[in-house]
Amino acid sequence: MKNLKTFFYLTIAISVLLSLGSCKKWSESGTGSLRIVDNKDGQTLGYDTTSRVKLLTVNGLAFKDLNKNGKLDIYEDWRRTAEERAKDLASKLSIEQIAGLMLYSAHQAIPSGNTRFGASTYNGKAYKESGAKPSDLSDQQITFLTKDNLRHVLITSVESPEVAAVWNNKVQALCEGIGFGIPANNSSDPRHRSASDVEYNVGSAGQISMWPGSLGMAATFDPAVVKLFGQVAAKEYRALGISTALSPQIDLATEPRWGRVNGTFGENPKLTADMARAYVDGFQTSLGDKAIAGGWGYTSVNTMIKHWPGGGPEEGGRDAHYSFGKYAVYPGNNLADHLIPFTEGALKLEGETKMASAVMPYYTISTGIDKTNNENVGNSYNKYLINDLLRGKYGFEGVVCTDWGVTKDETAVDGFGTTCWGVETLSIAERHYKIIMAGVDQFGGNNDAGPVVEAYKMGVKEHGEEFMKARMQQSATRLLRNIFRVGLFENPYLNVEETKKIVGNTDFMKAGYEAQLKSIVMLKNKNKALPVEKQKTVYIPKRVNAAGRDFFGGVTPESVSDPININLVKKYFKVTDNPAEADFALVVIRSPNSGSGYDASEVKKGGNGYVPISLQYGPYKALDAREQSIAGGDPLEKFTNRTYKNKTITASNASDLKMVLDVRKVMKEKPVIVSISMSKPMVFSEFEKEVNAILVTFEVQDQAILYILTGAAEPSGLLPLQMPIDMKTVELQKEDVPFDMICHKDSEGNTYDFGFGMNWNGIIKDARVEKYKHL
């Protein structure tokens, strides 16, 4: 009896000790269905009770039972590495589930509209007719998340930060309750560009902080500015539920006529590499209590650098979103410079994350680059460019995602969003298969898993099930790793009140505005026309905006408008409509826009459709263009020579030139100051000698211009691009070679070359100029 009693007490003691060893080390709180779990010695968890996810307690710590099997799987264990967890989960997924991971949605607005990108319905009705809340999921979103297993969503416009946060929580609750509970990895194209007419003041706050465009960032010649932008933007992105940035665009702007020059960091390989490295380090690195492991954490945003192997050398400047611009050419045999921003910049970071987490190839056919297979196909289809060069030679192990719509059938030479270049005769499923076998992991703009599953079956037939399953799991591991590293499996939910405090807060707005000021370039200041004393009287002519088409082919009607926020101007100067009363004139214009390089109406008249892209305002006849294009050929064309020699084009905004010259006449000897919103290089000889001062801006607020005009800030920006002397030098330069144009020399004897800029004391000659000068 005594032995039995001893055994009884011993059993109780052991039970108590065991319970103490596994005592709960976490607490739970929350409002509504959203619950937050604080692990005393580990990660904070978030889950939604509507998802039916339960908590598991192991060694006193809480874990989410995402697949609801009652046990802790490796992928659910936040103590494990992202690589271990990704491999474990990839091994559990069906081919259909992996196919869903390999999708990247078409553009999604919150709420969705019924036209253009991401047109959607709510309960079968257009949004405005449905009675839905702006944060509700559209029918199409519910379908691709539940039926197609899609988990990568591209977000475009949002009604407000608050709406974006609520929408994110609804998406994550839906995903958490399905299958293995894989959260959505939401993404965005760049969204921090300035609203020009918005006023900035010390207490400013807004929808999101506003920064100069990429060329403006480059014009600072200061990677620290770009790194700060990355750090700020990453915090704002995560507060909006965005964990992947489809940026930066690190193509070299070696072809000055290209329509996407404004999205680059200019034409200097070294400067672009430094800016790319700073951008990615800023976005991807989490610090302090926000860090998880390896530099990644809860304020990290995956970056998708683009466009491998450099989208800049487009023949004649025509863009590869369209068939008429499908060819990148290398007349200078200079692929090497275009790789530098990738291999020496974004893939060679200073921070712990080491490399950008994802790469996007461009639409282009990189003509003649593939010497191994001699394939002239779109970059995402090219095994040499992806598997051999990017992954093999340069050791990239992250995600490769196609640009949007590369598997869709071509509809017209000038059709937008159908870019299956070089593989037009393959079926849609065959295109998917070729892309997978080239080493790509993901399909941009594809909501439908069907073709991916068909591609898998093709692979099984050719290589066997074991090989093809391993190939699919390889992509799944890469994709999941990016989701694990930023903590989404632990807590993908947002605190709406915190989102409202973070996005566009005063400190972030101030940092963006200061960057805008640093980006403005002063090219000319004859007789010290700048700065101008406050309360002087200014004449500002209205701008005529000619009818035309935007980058996406949409019609833009003619309009007449003030080119700058006049109410803002009145806080600095007196404004008059009478030039005779003015002390000086301010003429605000845009760089010349002559279109895309293709005119379908010319085809109807018997021509080939190809026309020049001009960098001047007035009529330009292409006397020096190539007799024979370097590349050409399309199933919808019966010729291969895309020449535009001897054809004439005039910029759609030629009225900007007329406005400058007219103002010069009416102002007589009084100062004329020109402010140019520049999207690519331009020919200055048409008007430069007629004006006293020239400022160049790259997507900044009007107020930043006024700060420079009045001397509240001193210009410090430098040209990130060469400005050509004329169109002949543009025609004779090589699309793939930087710094190969003869530059404009102004009336004061200054040459508008890369790195040129002025401050109040004259030409800037500082360490930045020396560091990035070209020979």
Side-chain angles (χ1 to χ4, degrees):
M1 186 72 179
K2 183 178 180 181
N3 290 338
L4 184 61
K5 187 177 290 186
T6 301
F7 176 76
F8 175 74
Y9 286 120
L10 182 62
T11 301
I12 292 175
I14 291 172
S15 298
V16 170
L17 288 171
L18 287 173
S19 67
L20 288 173
S22 60
C23 66
K24 192 170 78 169
K25 302 175 184 177
W26 55 270
S27 60
E28 185 172 356
S29 60
T31 55
S33 61
L34 181 58
R35 312 303 297 169
I36 300 298
V37 179
D38 181 21
N39 276 302
K40 183 178 179 182
D41 299 315
Q43 300 299 325
T44 298
L45 311 181
Y47 72 100
D48 195 296
T49 56
T50 63
S51 71
R52 303 182 310 283
V53 162
K54 303 297 182 184
L55 296 179
L56 300 170
T57 300
V58 178
N59 294 330
L61 300 171
F63 301 85
K64 290 158 69 173
D65 185 13
L66 291 166
N67 61 1
K68 307 172 186 67
N69 66 354
K71 65 178 184 178
L72 182 63
D73 293 284
I74 291 173
Y75 88 92
E76 296 167 332
D77 188 347
W78 43 258
R79 299 168 300 183
R80 300 275 194 155
T81 67
E83 186 70 19
E84 291 172 325
R85 299 174 73 185
K87 285 183 177 178
D88 177 63
L89 181 51
S91 71
K92 300 177 187 297
L93 299 179
S94 67
I95 294 302
E96 288 74 18
Q97 289 167 325
I98 293 176
L101 271 183
M102 296 174 76
L103 304 178
Y104 223 125
S105 83
H107 301 70
Q108 304 296 311
I110 305 171
S112 296
N114 56 5
T115 59
R116 299 296 292 271
F117 297 124
S120 299
T121 57
Y122 295 78
N123 292 320
K125 298 179 180 178
Y127 170 69
K128 291 182 178 180
E129 302 167 2
S130 67
K133 297 177 181 178
S135 61
D136 285 348
L137 276 61
S138 70
D139 300 335
Q140 290 72 20
Q141 290 164 358
I142 292 170
T143 296
F144 65 58
L145 290 170
T146 58
K147 295 184 178 179
D148 289 291
N149 300 300
L150 184 148
R151 289 297 178 271
H152 295 80
V153 183
L154 173 55
I155 297 172
T156 55
S157 61
V158 297
E159 183 172 292
S160 69
E162 180 178 1
V163 166
V166 176
W167 179 88
N168 170 81
N169 290 350
K170 290 179 179 180
V171 168
Q172 301 297 4
L174 177 62
C175 293
E176 193 173 64
I178 302 170
F180 291 92
I182 300 172
N185 181 2
N186 301 322
S187 68
S188 174
D189 281 313
R191 59 193 313 116
H192 282 80
R193 288 174 178 165
S194 300
S196 63
D197 60 348
V198 174
E199 182 175 8
Y200 171 79
N201 58 61
V202 175
S204 285
Q207 293 272 12
I208 200 163
S209 62
M210 291 185 282
W211 298 71
S214 295
L215 279 179
M217 295 285 195
T220 70
F221 275 51
D222 186 357
V225 171
V226 177
K227 186 172 184 178
L228 176 62
F229 163 70
Q231 293 166 336
V232 168
K235 291 181 177 68
E236 292 186 307
Y237 272 29
R238 292 304 299 266
L240 291 168
I242 295 167
S243 45
T244 293
L246 301 187
S247 56
Q249 184 188 334
I250 57 176
D251 309 299
L252 281 188
T254 52
E255 169 44 63
R257 295 164 290 188
W258 185 33
R260 298 192 70 178
V261 166
N262 66 320
T264 74
F265 291 123
E267 65 181 300
N268 186 311
K270 179 173 174 52
L271 177 62
T272 300
D274 288 351
M275 294 299 193
R277 186 185 310 108
Y279 190 110
V280 176
D281 269 333
F283 263 92
Q284 291 190 170
T285 303
S286 287
L287 301 171
D289 62 355
K290 300 298 183 182
I292 298 174
W296 295 98
Y298 292 105
T299 55
S300 296
V301 171
N302 293 288
T303 58
M304 186 178 292
I305 55 176
K306 58 189 185 184
H307 305 86
W308 179 261
E314 302 266 16
E315 184 164 20
R318 299 182 298 273
D319 185 69
H321 276 85
Y322 301 88
S323 174
F324 56 71
K326 67 167 67 173
Y327 295 105
V329 294
Y330 299 84
N333 194 28
N334 190 34
L335 174 65
D337 271 355
H338 293 266
L339 298 183
I340 288 172
F342 296 89
T343 61
E344 301 302 314
L347 301 182
K348 192 177 286 186
L349 304 180
E350 294 176 351
E352 288 185 69
T353 64
K354 296 181 180 179
M355 285 187 173
S357 63
V359 173
M360 180 188 292
Y362 203 40
Y363 297 113
T364 44
I365 295 172
S366 296
T367 309
I369 294 301
D370 181 0
K371 306 297 184 185
T372 302
N373 306 303
N374 294 314
E375 271 202 308
N376 280 320
V377 292
N379 295 331
S380 291
Y381 293 94
N382 195 300
K383 184 175 182 291
Y384 167 75
L385 288 175
I386 306 301
N387 204 57
D388 299 351
L389 195 62
L390 177 60
R391 295 202 185 280
K393 183 174 180 178
Y394 295 112
F396 181 68
E397 298 177 352
V399 169
V400 177
C401 176
T402 74
D403 212 327
W404 262 234
V406 301
T407 60
K408 295 180 180 178
D409 288 324
E410 181 181 7
T411 56
V413 175
D414 60 347
F416 180 81
T418 54
T419 52
C420 55
W421 310 145
V423 293
E424 291 89 347
T425 60
L426 298 182
S427 70
I428 290 176
E430 287 170 335
R431 293 171 195 157
H432 281 76
Y433 179 49
K434 186 172 180 62
I435 286 171
I436 292 170
M437 298 312 292
V440 176
D441 305 298
Q442 200 165 30
F443 300 91
N446 182 6
N447 298 358
D448 181 8
V452 184
V453 175
E454 286 188 60
Y456 167 76
K457 293 175 182 178
M458 292 176 183
V460 170
K461 187 174 181 179
E462 182 174 356
H463 297 286
E465 184 175 7
E466 183 179 356
F467 171 91
M468 201 58 198
K469 189 173 184 180
R471 172 64 192 90
M472 298 287 278
Q473 288 178 352
Q474 181 184 47
S475 284
T477 299
R478 292 169 181 156
L479 291 159
L480 290 166
R481 183 170 55 212
N482 287 354
I483 305 177
F484 279 113
R485 289 196 293 203
V486 298
L488 288 175
F489 274 87
E490 277 57 72
N491 185 17
Y493 296 98
L494 300 173
N495 180 317
V496 176
E497 293 306 312
E498 283 299 308
T499 290
K500 290 159 67 175
K501 292 177 184 177
I502 292 170
V503 180
N505 70 45
T506 299
D507 290 341
F508 293 172
M509 295 294 285
K510 181 174 184 289
Y513 186 70
E514 289 175 349
Q516 291 177 49
L517 293 174
K518 292 177 181 178
S519 75
I520 295 175
V521 182
M522 183 166 71
L523 294 182
K524 187 176 183 179
N525 194 18
K526 183 179 179 181
N527 298 326
K528 299 286 187 179
L530 295 176
V532 179
E533 185 180 337
K534 280 189 175 183
Q535 296 309 309
K536 290 278 189 177
T537 302
V538 62
Y539 169 60
I540 303 175
K542 291 184 181 295
R543 176 194 288 142
V544 176
N545 304 293
R549 292 185 178 275
D550 61 23
F551 182 82
F552 304 106
V555 175
T556 56
E558 181 179 330
S559 64
V560 178
S561 62
D562 289 317
I564 191 169
N565 186 332
I566 294 298
N567 289 328
L568 269 180
V569 175
K570 289 178 179 178
K571 294 186 177 184
Y572 296 84
F573 303 111
K574 297 173 183 176
V575 178
T576 181
D577 292 329
N578 183 358
E581 298 175 355
D583 296 308
F584 73 102
L586 173 63
V587 187
V588 184
I589 61 176
R590 299 188 184 102
S591 51
N593 177 14
S594 66
S596 63
Y598 186 83
D599 183 358
S601 67
E602 198 206 49
V603 177
K604 297 176 182 178
K605 299 173 185 176
N608 67 358
Y610 292 87
V611 296
I613 296 176
S614 177
L615 300 183
Q616 66 184 44
Y617 293 105
Y620 163 63
K621 187 172 184 178
L623 300 175
D624 299 292
R626 295 183 181 113
E627 292 272 7
Q628 174 71 46
S629 63
I630 294 174
D634 187 90
L636 300 181
E637 294 177 334
K638 297 179 180 180
F639 54 86
T640 58
N641 186 6
R642 295 180 161 191
T643 184
Y644 51 84
K645 188 176 176 65
N646 295 323
K647 295 181 182 179
T648 300
I649 195 79
T650 301
S652 61
N653 60 332
S655 57
D656 279 4
L657 173 63
K658 183 178 185 298
M659 183 165 57
V660 174
L661 300 179
D662 287 349
V663 169
R664 173 75 280 166
K665 290 177 183 178
V666 298
M667 290 299 292
K668 299 180 181 178
E669 298 303 316
K670 291 185 286 189
V672 174
I673 298 165
V674 174
S675 177
I676 305 165
S677 177
M678 184 176 285
S679 59
K680 54 179 146 179
M682 60 183 285
V683 175
F684 277 88
S685 59
E686 293 177 295
F687 69 88
E688 172 271 315
K689 66 181 179 181
E690 303 294 338
V691 304
N692 300 81
I694 299 174
L695 296 177
V696 172
T697 68
F698 306 97
E699 300 175 77
V700 302
Q701 292 171 260
D702 292 345
Q703 189 161 353
I705 301 171
L706 295 168
Y707 259 48
I708 299 292
L709 288 176
T710 58
E714 184 172 15
S716 62
L718 303 167
L719 282 178
L721 304 158
Q722 290 186 316
M723 298 297 126
I725 188 171
D726 54 27
M727 280 303 298
K728 180 176 181 178
T729 194
V730 174
E731 294 290 1
L732 297 182
Q733 59 86 36
K734 295 179 173 65
E735 284 91 338
D736 59 327
V737 178
F739 314 130
D740 62 343
M741 293 193 294
I742 301 170
C743 297
H744 175 77
K745 188 173 183 178
D746 73 10
S747 64
E748 307 306 292
N750 295 321
T751 301
Y752 295 176
D753 202 348
F754 174 88
F756 175 77
M758 302 180 71
N759 57 25
W760 303 141
N761 295 319
I763 299 172
I764 298 172
K765 296 179 180 179
D766 58 18
R768 298 173 301 156
V769 177
E770 184 65 25
K771 181 176 182 179
Y772 294 111
K773 69 180 180 181
H774 69 91
L775 301 178

